[in-house]
Amino acid sequence: MSASILADHPGEAHWGSMAPRLNWLRAGVLGANDGIVSTAGLVVGVAGATTARGAIFTAGLAGLVAGAVSMALGEYISVSSQRDSERAQLALERRELETNPEHELVELTDMYRAKGLSDTTALLVATELTAHDVMAAHADAELHIDPNELTNARHAAAASAVAFTLGALLPLVAILLAPGAIRVPVTVVVVLVALALTGVLSSRIGGSRARIAVIRVVAGGAAGLALTYAIGRLFGTALT
């Protein structure tokens, strides 16, 4: 892409500049949403069973720590597996380029021909890209991987853990600070507002419609809170 074209669209986001950040942004938003919902469900459920602030705090704190560790570990394992797969594909492609470069050039030409280029143009494009950076050309066209921007497991895990913790603190602080009589309603309002904000943020990252994302996440969160509160009331009363 030429400099003049980029200059004509200074506010437009391009995938090449966004890809490294989207990985941890996605993990962060998902982590925050998980922290809000799971911790809110836990403390609201306990609040349905008891009014003891100490019990609610202990349950919420335990859920926060366990959830943050679980999110970080799960994200690290998932992204590490993806990175290992990407590295294996790149290593295989590199061996094929070293052992059979002629076949790989034909393969690259066929890919561009399949995209609608004429035989002559497809061969020209494949030849020029091969001369410029053969590995990058095949990684992009064949594997859809940028060798210089592989997924980073540590970034994703850290973003997920921090975001989960921040999200979990909202319902925990809300239910501890609110007066006992309105403890649960205040927490529900705080949680639903926070979920609406994460819905807007996730829609911005994904380029989807904010209204649909907000309705989906708020409705799901409200249903989860209602269910956990009902379970707390039912079993708390029965056990007492």
Side-chain angles (χ1 to χ4, degrees):
M1 185 175 292
S2 67
S4 61
I5 294 177
L6 290 173
D8 291 338
H9 303 276
E12 183 178 348
H14 295 276
W15 176 254
S17 60
M18 290 294 293
R21 289 178 289 172
L22 286 179
N23 182 48
W24 62 264
L25 279 174
R26 174 193 58 80
V29 171
L30 291 176
N33 189 77
D34 241 10
I36 294 169
V37 174
S38 62
T39 306
L42 183 60
V43 296
V44 166
V46 175
T50 178
T51 58
R53 197 181 298 269
I56 296 173
F57 171 74
T58 301
L61 183 61
L64 184 156
V65 174
V69 172
S70 176
M71 286 292 294
L73 182 59
E75 194 70 26
Y76 184 84
I77 293 173
S78 174
V79 176
S80 293
S81 297
Q82 179 184 345
R83 188 182 181 93
D84 290 344
S85 176
E86 291 172 342
R87 284 175 168 172
Q89 293 179 67
L90 290 171
L92 176 60
E93 188 63 31
R94 191 172 289 108
R95 287 196 299 271
E96 291 177 347
L97 288 170
E98 292 173 353
T99 58
N100 200 349
E102 295 82 5
H103 173 76
E104 292 299 309
L105 178 60
V106 172
E107 187 177 50
L108 188 61
T109 303
D110 288 342
M111 290 179 196
Y112 287 111
R113 185 185 296 111
K115 292 182 179 182
L117 298 182
S118 66
D119 292 351
T120 303
T121 304
L123 177 59
L124 177 62
V125 170
T127 302
E128 291 189 357
L129 289 176
T130 297
H132 175 68
D133 189 334
V134 62
M135 187 60 204
H138 283 265
D140 176 61
E142 187 174 348
L143 306 177
H144 308 293
I145 297 174
D146 186 339
N148 298 317
E149 294 181 355
L150 297 181
T151 51
N152 191 307
R154 290 191 299 273
H155 289 177
S160 185
V162 171
F164 184 97
T165 301
L166 294 177
L169 284 173
L170 291 175
L172 183 57
V173 170
I175 205 164
L176 291 175
L177 295 183
I182 58 172
R183 179 178 292 163
V184 172
V186 167
T187 303
V188 170
V189 171
V190 170
V191 166
L192 295 183
V193 171
L195 288 177
L197 292 176
T198 63
V200 171
L201 183 56
S202 65
S203 69
R204 293 290 179 84
I205 294 174
S208 60
R209 295 176 59 185
R211 180 181 299 180
I212 295 176
V214 169
I215 292 174
R216 183 166 51 230
V217 72
V218 169
L225 291 178
L227 179 61
T228 54
Y229 182 74
I231 290 174
R233 292 288 292 179
L234 176 63
F235 287 95
T237 303
L239 293 175
T240 301

